[in-house]
Amino acid sequence: MLMTEHEGKNLLRAAGVPTPAGWLVERPEEILRSPFTYPAAVKAQVRSGGRGKSGGVVRVEDPQSAAEAAGRILDMDFGEERPSAVLMEPWLEIERELYLSAAVDGGAGGYMLLYSPAGGVDVEGAPPPVRYPVGLPRNFRVHEFRGLLSPLEGDSSVREKVLRIARSLLRVAWAHDCTTVEINPLAVLAGGSLMAADAKIVRDESAAFRDLGIAEAIRASNSREPKPVERCLAAGLMLIPMEGNVGLISGGAGMTMATMDLIQAAGGSPACFLDCSANPTPEGYRLAFEMLDGDPGVRSILVSIFGGATQMDRVARVIHDIMNERESAKPVVFRLNGTNAGAVQGIFDNLGIRNHATLDAAVAEAVSLAGGVA
């Protein structure tokens, strides 16, 4: 269970790790009525990564720009999650960015400490961090970790502060049933002071039986409206959202990927990978249409299904009923081929639907209707 940055920093702060003075904001207008130090950072509070590269962290210079940034961020989605609040913090003038974490590692028999002198959003492209297999937190030896850090961190003052914070991360991990406690970046400020500029803390859901905080977080998560991807997985559909505008309902991973390639080649852009082959039932197809009809980015829908064991006349009757009930005005294009495909057009006739003779022709029309260049 991934905690938000604000929640994670509360745990770090209680353990003595230096963190910025933060303010959680749920309504942008609160910012206009409250004094705060500027420049400041406005940060989306979500349980997913990649906020910085997705516009979820913004520098602001005054209350008006802060309120506007908060409003924009609260209307954004990050990994299908919309933030319920933003975190405001003083903007840090960072001289260097370090990486430090404690994570469960089976090979270490407990926790592994990881440190890199190059942190920040591009840490994955940096050289691998130094690893110190601690195991149980009581096995942490300052001199051993210091020996590993010395070749990487020439500033002895910074190195000693890293050692103290590393011990605190192990305490947090052990006390709160965490699988990961990560600070990235661990900021070096003017004068050599260190500050946890961000916090990623993952708590072990299997420890809910002994930790009320984890149990309550799980209940809150289970009570929310399921995400589209979660609903599809529960129904046996495979949905992977993408950035395009041509929605695709297909059957079989190979057929779905080939159709996506054809959409791209025709000048369009697929809005999803949506494979219904594991649930080719009325309920499965209804859910697929519901997902794409409810996606504002989808401008047209292409139904591309090849049936071997699945009989196309049965699929056509299901789709006939769905199209009769459907309220969305989004255009739908069809290519149903395979077993009993000859009966499909007769089933579609009274609705004015055309089953295209070729997949290329169906793709071209779907791309054109979505506004692409077909």
Side-chain angles (χ1 to χ4, degrees):
M1 180 191 70
L2 178 62
M3 305 181 77
T4 65
E5 176 189 4
H6 173 70
E7 294 169 337
K9 282 182 173 176
N10 282 344
L11 293 186
L12 294 180
R13 191 176 298 115
V17 177
T19 59
W23 172 32
L24 200 63
V25 178
E26 296 180 351
R27 295 183 300 276
E29 57 270 22
E30 298 174 19
I31 297 172
L32 299 174
R33 299 193 298 265
S34 300
F36 199 76
T37 303
Y38 292 90
V42 181
K43 300 177 165 185
Q45 294 304 285
V46 290
R47 302 179 192 277
S48 59
R51 297 171 306 163
K53 295 182 179 180
S54 304
V57 179
V58 179
R59 174 182 169 132
V60 294
E61 304 294 337
D62 53 63
Q64 185 62 44
S65 61
E68 292 171 359
R72 288 195 305 273
I73 290 173
L74 290 171
D75 283 336
M76 296 172 66
D77 291 322
F78 300 87
E80 297 185 1
E81 181 183 0
R82 182 159 294 190
S84 60
V86 297
L87 177 64
M88 282 193 64
E89 293 180 339
W91 187 264
L92 299 178
E93 296 300 335
I94 300 174
E95 293 190 349
R96 282 200 294 144
E97 292 183 327
L98 315 177
Y99 174 91
L100 181 65
S101 72
V104 169
D105 186 285
Y111 289 101
M112 179 79 74
L113 279 173
L114 296 95
Y115 172 80
S116 173
V121 295
D122 296 320
V123 67
E124 293 180 0
V130 65
R131 300 164 65 88
Y132 174 38
V134 178
L136 297 178
R138 66 170 178 261
N139 296 332
F140 177 71
R141 298 293 182 266
V142 171
H143 69 278
E144 291 179 350
F145 197 34
R146 182 185 290 117
L148 294 173
L149 297 185
S150 293
L152 302 175
E153 183 52 67
D155 188 326
S156 60
S157 174
V158 169
R159 187 169 62 240
E160 294 305 309
K161 293 182 179 75
V162 169
L163 291 169
R164 288 196 293 272
I165 293 174
R167 187 192 293 275
S168 295
L169 296 197
L170 290 169
R171 288 172 178 162
V172 169
W174 183 257
H176 298 283
D177 291 301
C178 302
T179 57
T180 300
V181 181
E182 176 186 280
I183 303 176
N184 183 37
L186 177 58
V188 181
L189 307 181
S193 62
L194 268 57
M195 185 77 70
D198 199 357
K200 175 184 176 183
I201 295 183
V202 181
R203 302 182 71 187
D204 186 358
E205 294 186 10
S206 64
F209 72 95
R210 66 184 178 204
D211 193 305
L212 184 59
I214 296 177
E216 288 177 347
I218 292 173
R219 281 196 293 271
S221 177
N222 291 340
S223 66
R224 63 167 170 76
E225 185 71 21
K227 299 175 183 178
V229 172
E230 294 169 340
R231 292 185 61 194
C232 286
L233 286 174
L237 310 185
M238 176 56 70
L239 171 63
I240 302 175
M242 302 176 71
E243 298 297 326
N245 56 14
V246 179
L248 175 60
I249 298 174
S250 192
M255 182 68 180
T256 306
M257 290 188 289
T259 307
M260 291 170 65
D261 288 343
L262 290 174
I263 292 171
Q264 199 78 41
S269 181
C272 64
F273 174 105
L274 180 47
D275 176 10
C276 298
S277 60
N279 187 8
T281 65
E283 293 75 18
Y285 288 121
R286 280 192 172 87
L287 178 58
F289 271 99
E290 180 186 341
M291 294 295 100
L292 299 187
D293 282 339
D295 185 341
V298 172
R299 303 291 296 278
S300 70
I301 298 173
L302 172 62
V303 181
S304 168
I305 300 174
F306 178 84
T310 302
Q311 298 180 20
M312 289 298 97
D313 56 330
R314 294 184 178 179
V315 174
R317 291 188 185 95
V318 170
I319 289 176
H320 177 281
D321 293 342
I322 292 172
M323 295 298 290
N324 242 341
E325 303 163 358
R326 188 168 164 262
E327 296 180 356
S328 173
K330 290 179 184 179
V332 186
V333 181
F334 296 93
R335 167 59 175 167
L336 272 58
N337 190 25
T339 304
N340 295 342
V344 170
Q345 190 57 59
I347 296 169
F348 282 176
D349 275 344
N350 73 326
L351 290 179
I353 299 173
R354 176 159 61 111
N355 187 37
H356 281 269
T358 67
L359 181 54
D360 285 339
V363 167
E365 183 178 357
V367 170
S368 178
L369 289 169
V373 180

